[in-house]
Every structure is written in C-alpha cells, then in structure tokens.
Short mmCIF file of all heavy atoms in Angstrom, two decimals:
data_model
loop_
_atom_site.label_atom_id
_atom_site.label_comp_id
_atom_site.label_asym_id
_atom_site.label_seq_id
_atom_site.Cartn_x
_atom_site.Cartn_y
_atom_site.Cartn_z
N ASN A 1 29.94 8.43 11.53
CA ASN A 1 31.46 8.67 11.20
C ASN A 1 31.54 10.05 10.36
O ASN A 1 32.61 10.66 10.45
CB ASN A 1 32.07 7.64 10.40
CG ASN A 1 32.28 6.35 11.28
OD1 ASN A 1 32.19 6.35 12.42
ND2 ASN A 1 32.48 5.23 10.56
N THR A 2 30.54 10.50 9.63
CA THR A 2 30.66 11.60 8.82
C THR A 2 29.95 12.82 9.24
O THR A 2 30.38 13.92 9.14
CB THR A 2 30.14 11.21 7.41
OG1 THR A 2 30.75 10.02 6.97
CG2 THR A 2 30.46 12.26 6.37
N LEU A 3 28.66 12.66 9.85
CA LEU A 3 27.79 13.83 10.12
C LEU A 3 27.99 14.26 11.61
O LEU A 3 28.11 13.31 12.52
CB LEU A 3 26.33 13.44 9.80
CG LEU A 3 26.07 13.01 8.31
CD1 LEU A 3 24.55 12.84 8.22
CD2 LEU A 3 26.65 13.97 7.34
N ASP A 4 27.80 15.48 11.81
CA ASP A 4 27.79 16.04 13.14
C ASP A 4 26.37 15.78 13.80
O ASP A 4 26.22 15.70 14.99
CB ASP A 4 28.21 17.51 13.22
CG ASP A 4 29.62 17.64 12.85
OD1 ASP A 4 30.40 16.81 13.12
OD2 ASP A 4 29.94 18.74 12.29
N ASP A 5 25.38 15.91 12.89
CA ASP A 5 23.98 15.85 13.37
C ASP A 5 23.56 14.32 13.44
O ASP A 5 23.86 13.49 12.55
CB ASP A 5 23.10 16.58 12.29
CG ASP A 5 21.67 16.57 12.74
OD1 ASP A 5 21.36 16.28 13.92
OD2 ASP A 5 20.85 17.01 11.97
N ARG A 6 22.96 13.96 14.47
CA ARG A 6 22.46 12.56 14.76
C ARG A 6 21.02 12.39 14.43
O ARG A 6 20.48 11.30 14.57
CB ARG A 6 22.79 12.19 16.16
CG ARG A 6 24.32 12.07 16.54
CD ARG A 6 24.95 10.93 15.65
NE ARG A 6 26.40 10.83 16.06
CZ ARG A 6 27.40 11.31 15.33
NH1 ARG A 6 27.10 12.04 14.27
NH2 ARG A 6 28.69 11.27 15.72
N TRP A 7 20.36 13.44 14.15
CA TRP A 7 18.88 13.33 13.85
C TRP A 7 18.53 12.34 12.77
O TRP A 7 17.48 11.72 12.79
CB TRP A 7 18.27 14.66 13.58
CG TRP A 7 18.02 15.54 14.88
CD1 TRP A 7 18.77 16.59 15.31
CD2 TRP A 7 17.08 15.32 15.92
NE1 TRP A 7 18.42 17.09 16.47
CE2 TRP A 7 17.30 16.25 16.96
CE3 TRP A 7 16.11 14.33 16.00
CZ2 TRP A 7 16.55 16.28 18.09
CZ3 TRP A 7 15.32 14.40 17.28
CH2 TRP A 7 15.54 15.36 18.16
N PRO A 8 19.33 12.27 11.66
CA PRO A 8 18.98 11.35 10.61
C PRO A 8 18.96 9.91 11.12
O PRO A 8 18.25 8.98 10.43
CB PRO A 8 20.19 11.54 9.59
CG PRO A 8 20.55 12.90 9.77
CD PRO A 8 20.42 13.20 11.23
N LEU A 9 19.48 9.55 12.21
CA LEU A 9 19.37 8.23 12.74
C LEU A 9 17.93 7.93 13.13
O LEU A 9 17.40 6.80 13.01
CB LEU A 9 20.20 8.04 13.98
CG LEU A 9 21.75 7.97 13.75
CD1 LEU A 9 22.52 7.93 15.08
CD2 LEU A 9 22.08 6.81 12.93
N GLY A 10 17.22 8.97 13.48
CA GLY A 10 15.75 8.89 13.84
C GLY A 10 14.99 8.34 12.56
O GLY A 10 14.11 7.63 12.72
N ASP A 11 15.31 8.99 11.43
CA ASP A 11 14.69 8.64 10.14
C ASP A 11 14.97 7.20 9.84
O ASP A 11 14.04 6.49 9.39
CB ASP A 11 15.15 9.58 9.05
CG ASP A 11 14.93 10.98 9.24
OD1 ASP A 11 13.88 11.29 9.90
OD2 ASP A 11 15.73 11.86 8.85
N ILE A 12 16.21 6.73 10.13
CA ILE A 12 16.56 5.26 9.85
C ILE A 12 15.74 4.34 10.79
O ILE A 12 15.15 3.35 10.33
CB ILE A 12 17.99 5.17 10.02
CG1 ILE A 12 18.76 5.94 8.95
CG2 ILE A 12 18.29 3.55 9.91
CD1 ILE A 12 20.29 5.83 9.23
N VAL A 13 15.65 4.75 12.06
CA VAL A 13 14.98 3.89 13.03
C VAL A 13 13.35 3.82 12.64
O VAL A 13 12.91 2.76 12.65
CB VAL A 13 15.13 4.45 14.42
CG1 VAL A 13 14.12 3.79 15.38
CG2 VAL A 13 16.61 4.36 14.87
N PHE A 14 12.84 5.03 12.40
CA PHE A 14 11.41 4.95 11.97
C PHE A 14 11.16 4.23 10.64
O PHE A 14 10.23 3.39 10.56
CB PHE A 14 10.92 6.45 11.76
CG PHE A 14 10.48 7.00 13.07
CD1 PHE A 14 11.26 8.00 13.60
CD2 PHE A 14 9.32 6.59 13.72
CE1 PHE A 14 10.86 8.68 14.82
CE2 PHE A 14 9.01 7.16 14.92
CZ PHE A 14 9.75 8.19 15.52
N GLY A 15 12.14 4.27 9.72
CA GLY A 15 11.91 3.55 8.49
C GLY A 15 11.94 2.06 8.78
O GLY A 15 11.15 1.22 8.19
N ILE A 16 12.92 1.57 9.64
CA ILE A 16 12.98 0.16 9.96
C ILE A 16 11.74 -0.30 10.70
O ILE A 16 11.23 -1.30 10.49
CB ILE A 16 14.24 -0.10 10.95
CG1 ILE A 16 15.59 0.25 10.11
CG2 ILE A 16 14.26 -1.50 11.38
CD1 ILE A 16 16.71 0.19 10.97
N MET A 17 11.24 0.49 11.64
CA MET A 17 10.12 0.16 12.41
C MET A 17 8.88 0.02 11.48
O MET A 17 8.12 -0.94 11.67
CB MET A 17 9.83 1.30 13.45
CG MET A 17 10.88 1.31 14.61
SD MET A 17 10.61 2.61 15.71
CE MET A 17 8.87 2.41 16.20
N PHE A 18 8.72 0.90 10.55
CA PHE A 18 7.52 0.89 9.65
C PHE A 18 7.60 -0.43 8.80
O PHE A 18 6.73 -1.21 8.61
CB PHE A 18 7.58 2.04 8.73
CG PHE A 18 6.89 3.32 9.36
CD1 PHE A 18 7.70 4.57 9.29
CD2 PHE A 18 5.82 3.26 10.22
CE1 PHE A 18 7.16 5.67 9.88
CE2 PHE A 18 5.39 4.41 10.88
CZ PHE A 18 6.01 5.59 10.67
N PHE A 19 8.89 -0.72 8.21
CA PHE A 19 9.06 -1.85 7.37
C PHE A 19 8.79 -3.10 8.21
O PHE A 19 8.09 -4.07 7.69
CB PHE A 19 10.40 -1.87 6.74
CG PHE A 19 10.63 -2.91 5.70
CD1 PHE A 19 10.09 -2.85 4.50
CD2 PHE A 19 11.28 -4.11 6.19
CE1 PHE A 19 10.33 -3.90 3.56
CE2 PHE A 19 11.51 -5.10 5.19
CZ PHE A 19 10.99 -5.03 3.91
N ALA A 20 9.40 -3.24 9.32
CA ALA A 20 9.24 -4.40 10.13
C ALA A 20 7.82 -4.67 10.66
O ALA A 20 7.33 -5.81 10.56
CB ALA A 20 10.18 -4.31 11.44
N ALA A 21 7.16 -3.50 10.95
CA ALA A 21 5.77 -3.65 11.43
C ALA A 21 4.89 -4.20 10.15
O ALA A 21 3.99 -4.99 10.39
CB ALA A 21 5.24 -2.40 11.86
N GLY A 22 5.17 -3.71 8.98
CA GLY A 22 4.45 -4.17 7.76
C GLY A 22 4.66 -5.56 7.55
O GLY A 22 3.72 -6.30 7.21
N GLN A 23 5.92 -6.13 7.75
CA GLN A 23 6.09 -7.52 7.48
C GLN A 23 5.43 -8.42 8.49
O GLN A 23 4.89 -9.47 8.22
CB GLN A 23 7.66 -7.78 7.43
CG GLN A 23 8.45 -7.05 6.48
CD GLN A 23 7.86 -7.20 5.02
OE1 GLN A 23 7.94 -8.38 4.55
NE2 GLN A 23 7.41 -6.21 4.40
N VAL A 24 5.46 -7.97 9.78
CA VAL A 24 4.80 -8.76 10.84
C VAL A 24 3.36 -8.76 10.56
O VAL A 24 2.76 -9.83 10.76
CB VAL A 24 5.11 -8.15 12.12
CG1 VAL A 24 4.28 -8.91 13.29
CG2 VAL A 24 6.65 -8.30 12.53
N ILE A 25 2.72 -7.70 10.28
CA ILE A 25 1.36 -7.64 10.00
C ILE A 25 0.91 -8.51 8.82
O ILE A 25 0.01 -9.15 8.84
CB ILE A 25 0.87 -6.14 9.87
CG1 ILE A 25 0.91 -5.39 11.10
CG2 ILE A 25 -0.54 -6.16 9.29
CD1 ILE A 25 0.65 -3.87 10.96
N LEU A 26 1.75 -8.43 7.81
CA LEU A 26 1.48 -9.16 6.59
C LEU A 26 1.49 -10.58 6.67
O LEU A 26 0.62 -11.39 6.37
CB LEU A 26 2.52 -8.68 5.53
CG LEU A 26 2.20 -8.97 4.00
CD1 LEU A 26 0.90 -8.20 3.59
CD2 LEU A 26 3.39 -8.67 3.18
N TYR A 27 2.61 -11.10 7.47
CA TYR A 27 2.80 -12.55 7.48
C TYR A 27 2.35 -13.23 8.76
O TYR A 27 2.40 -14.44 8.84
CB TYR A 27 4.31 -12.77 7.28
CG TYR A 27 4.86 -12.37 6.03
CD1 TYR A 27 5.99 -11.52 5.89
CD2 TYR A 27 4.19 -12.75 4.73
CE1 TYR A 27 6.49 -11.03 4.69
CE2 TYR A 27 4.75 -12.29 3.56
CZ TYR A 27 5.87 -11.41 3.57
OH TYR A 27 6.32 -11.02 2.33
N VAL A 28 1.96 -12.45 9.74
CA VAL A 28 1.54 -13.11 11.04
C VAL A 28 0.14 -12.75 11.39
O VAL A 28 -0.63 -13.79 11.71
CB VAL A 28 2.49 -12.52 12.18
CG1 VAL A 28 2.04 -13.11 13.52
CG2 VAL A 28 4.01 -12.87 11.93
N PHE A 29 -0.29 -11.48 11.29
CA PHE A 29 -1.59 -11.15 11.75
C PHE A 29 -2.71 -10.90 10.56
O PHE A 29 -3.81 -10.41 10.94
CB PHE A 29 -1.52 -9.89 12.53
CG PHE A 29 -0.70 -10.05 13.80
CD1 PHE A 29 0.56 -9.44 13.91
CD2 PHE A 29 -1.12 -10.78 14.79
CE1 PHE A 29 1.44 -9.55 15.07
CE2 PHE A 29 -0.38 -10.98 16.01
CZ PHE A 29 0.93 -10.35 16.02
N SER A 30 -2.32 -11.23 9.34
CA SER A 30 -3.19 -10.94 8.30
C SER A 30 -4.57 -11.63 8.51
O SER A 30 -5.67 -11.04 8.29
CB SER A 30 -2.60 -11.41 6.98
OG SER A 30 -3.43 -11.11 5.90
N VAL A 31 -4.51 -12.91 8.84
CA VAL A 31 -5.77 -13.67 8.97
C VAL A 31 -6.59 -13.12 10.12
O VAL A 31 -7.95 -12.96 10.00
CB VAL A 31 -5.51 -15.15 9.14
CG1 VAL A 31 -6.84 -15.82 9.47
CG2 VAL A 31 -4.83 -15.82 8.00
N ASP A 32 -5.94 -12.76 11.25
CA ASP A 32 -6.66 -12.22 12.31
C ASP A 32 -7.35 -10.83 12.01
O ASP A 32 -8.46 -10.55 12.39
CB ASP A 32 -5.76 -11.95 13.44
CG ASP A 32 -5.10 -13.36 14.11
OD1 ASP A 32 -5.83 -14.36 13.98
OD2 ASP A 32 -3.95 -13.31 14.48
N ILE A 33 -6.66 -10.00 11.26
CA ILE A 33 -7.17 -8.75 10.82
C ILE A 33 -8.39 -9.05 9.86
O ILE A 33 -9.53 -8.34 10.02
CB ILE A 33 -6.10 -7.94 10.18
CG1 ILE A 33 -5.08 -7.42 11.13
CG2 ILE A 33 -6.72 -6.61 9.51
CD1 ILE A 33 -3.82 -6.87 10.54
N CYS A 34 -8.22 -9.85 9.02
CA CYS A 34 -9.33 -10.28 8.06
C CYS A 34 -10.62 -10.70 8.81
O CYS A 34 -11.71 -10.24 8.51
CB CYS A 34 -8.86 -11.28 7.03
SG CYS A 34 -10.02 -11.72 5.85
#
C-alpha cells in the first residue's frame, strides 16, 4: 500500500522461509540429522 518498490517482499519471503525451515529441522528432523 505504501511503497512503489516490491523488492522488499522478497526479503520478507526469504525471512519466512529461513525461519520456517529452521523450525521444521529443529522439531521434525533433529533426530535424523543427529
């Protein structure tokens, strides 16, 4: 609604992806990795 540039949405998407991946690895695949 405010910015003309849409590139910051990419930063938001990558941030969500990194955080979600960390939670999945932490709570789902930790034993398998170990």
